[in-house]
Amino acid sequence: MNGPYERHAFVCLGGKSCPALGSEAVFAALKAKVADASLRDRVRVNKAGCMSQCGNGPMVCLYPDNVWYAGVRPEDADAIFAHLCGGPPHGPRLYRPAKPGSNQIA
Amino acid sequence: MNGPYERHAFVCLGGKSCPALGSEAVFAALKAKVADASLRDRVRVNKAGCMSQCGNGPMVCLYPDNVWYAGVRPEDADAIFAHLCGGPPHGPRLYRPAKPGSNQIA
């Protein structure tokens, strides 16, 4: 591994579903947490295109942990930010995909 | 880990630098490889926003491996796709960040 970040979160801002479900506000809340904590050299929050889980969002995936969140709201930003900084996963929004790969229900 | 994909690649299509350096063609080449191989239920290629490595791109990061590539060209799609499917990293384009976090040279 040669990545410049300890952990990297991606928020779906693409596709037909996540933006309509409020992913832009989730993205903004997470970016603000990182900026406020002056942790931009350790962790990163990025916009991402559709992850093919439409209808389960807003989707956030956190790597290299490979932990995914579904139905995320801005109020979850504190807990997901804590995970991004090395804390435990945020249990209430953990995604449970029905199967590997695409899981589009919308 | 609860992610729906074995490996997940993100191509920077945002920021001021990667698109001008040809990241759209890299993204298209990688997407085509996944589709042609009928591997959409195992691996995923996504667009991403700026990763703050401007000038080193086109940037591609591959998770959960946390292996990053810089200066990627469409001709690298075969080798990066092989990595996405569980093969070894593509040595010639491995990124060597000068430091953790942001590394903007453009």
Side-chain angles (χ1 to χ4, degrees):
Chain A
M1 57 176 273
N2 59 342
Y5 301 110
E6 294 175 21
R7 282 187 186 77
H8 199 167
F10 294 88
V11 183
C12 177
L13 270 290
K16 59 191 175 188
S17 165
C18 285
L21 292 167
S23 63
E24 187 74 58
V26 171
F27 175 73
L30 284 170
K31 288 293 269 191
K33 294 291 297 178
V34 173
D36 289 350
S38 300
L39 285 172
R40 279 181 283 206
D41 282 346
R42 292 182 48 206
V43 300
R44 181 79 179 173
V45 177
N46 262 123
K47 296 181 183 181
C50 178
M51 301 174 186
S52 206
Q53 314 297 318
C54 307
N56 293 291
M59 299 302 303
V60 176
C61 60
L62 196 155
Y63 285 112
D65 308 56
N66 198 9
V67 166
W68 287 52
Y69 296 106
V72 180
R73 300 174 186 177
E75 309 89 271
D76 297 308
D78 280 1
I80 292 176
F81 174 71
H83 181 196
L84 197 59
C85 297
H90 176 42
R93 300 286 181 226
L94 281 177
Y95 184 40
R96 292 175 180 80
K99 59 177 178 57
S102 173
N103 288 279
Q104 300 197 26
I105 57 173
Chain B
M1 59 175 274
N2 59 343
Y5 301 109
E6 294 176 20
R7 282 188 185 76
H8 198 166
F10 295 88
V11 183
C12 177
L13 271 289
K16 60 192 175 189
S17 165
C18 284
L21 292 167
S23 63
E24 187 73 59
V26 171
F27 175 73
L30 284 170
K31 288 294 269 192
K33 294 291 298 179
V34 173
D36 289 351
S38 300
L39 285 173
R40 279 182 283 206
D41 283 345
R42 292 183 48 205
V43 300
R44 180 80 179 175
V45 177
N46 262 123
K47 296 181 183 180
C50 178
M51 301 175 186
S52 206
Q53 314 298 318
C54 306
N56 293 292
M59 299 302 302
V60 176
C61 60
L62 195 154
Y63 285 111
D65 308 56
N66 197 10
V67 166
W68 288 51
Y69 296 106
V72 180
R73 300 174 185 176
E75 307 89 272
D76 297 307
D78 281 0
I80 293 177
F81 174 72
H83 181 197
L84 196 60
C85 296
H90 177 43
R93 300 286 180 226
L94 281 176
Y95 184 40
R96 292 176 179 80
K99 59 178 178 55
S102 173
N103 288 280
Q104 301 197 25
I105 57 173

